[in-house]
Amino acid sequence: MFHVARMASGRDVQEVRATNVVLLPCAPSSVGVARRRLTAELSAAGVFGQAVGDAALVVSELLSNAIKHAWPLPGEKLQVTWAVDQGSVEVAVRDGGGLTRPRQACAPVSSLGGRGLGIVEQLSRNWGIRTDGVGQTVWAVLPAPRAGVPSRCR
């Protein structure tokens, strides 16, 4: 599950597994479940501050979009994954695809929605969409500095 590493500072930091995969029901309540799990595991891995909040916000946006605009995977589930590397975290949401491909919209100021992928764009180093015969995955890579771990140059 987790591995513990001793940092040069003498502080123990839990390492997140190479990839975390969570299957969740295609329901609004899954957004909170994914946020809490991601936040706990990033914090345990030594990711700190705004990076944890940004990653949780991006996962919330991607998962909310999948629930609203896409079909679930077989079993009425959505797949949420994340992986921590030195200085970054990749988050992804996999669904059964939809009638259209996700795209960033220009929502009017008075609109209650339509800003999700714009938020993802602003918080991420990079984001995109992968498709296959079963569905699609919308992913994003965010900066994730870790306590006591030097970051890689971009």
Side-chain angles (χ1 to χ4, degrees):
M1 193 161 137
F2 287 107
H3 302 284
V4 176
R6 171 114 10 203
M7 306 314 300
S9 66
R11 181 173 174 256
D12 286 341
V13 177
Q14 289 184 342
E15 296 288 331
V16 174
R17 291 170 285 178
T19 301
N20 293 279
V21 179
V22 181
L23 288 173
L24 297 168
C26 187
S29 60
S30 293
V31 176
V33 172
R35 284 179 67 102
R36 286 187 295 277
R37 178 102 179 255
L38 173 67
T39 299
E41 290 195 18
L42 291 181
S43 297
V47 177
F48 57 92
Q50 186 174 345
V52 174
D54 288 351
L57 178 55
V58 168
V59 161
S60 295
E61 293 297 337
L62 298 180
L63 192 52
S64 295
N65 284 349
I67 292 165
K68 185 173 182 179
H69 301 291
W71 295 296
L73 294 166
E76 300 297 311
K77 301 287 185 183
L78 298 171
Q79 179 180 315
V80 181
T81 62
W82 58 88
V84 177
D85 196 0
Q86 288 184 350
S88 67
V89 60
E90 180 177 345
V91 296
V93 173
R94 180 168 169 71
D95 58 47
L99 293 175
T100 60
R101 188 171 168 91
R103 62 179 172 79
Q104 191 174 339
C106 291
V109 174
S110 61
S111 176
L112 296 177
R115 294 177 185 80
L117 290 178
I119 292 169
V120 172
E121 173 83 24
Q122 289 296 311
L123 296 177
S124 303
R125 289 182 180 160
N126 197 7
W127 73 278
I129 304 159
R130 293 185 294 263
T131 59
D132 61 29
V134 176
Q136 67 187 5
T137 302
V138 183
W139 58 269
V141 177
L142 295 93
R146 296 172 60 197
V149 177
S151 296
R152 278 190 198 157
C153 296
R154 286 203 242 182

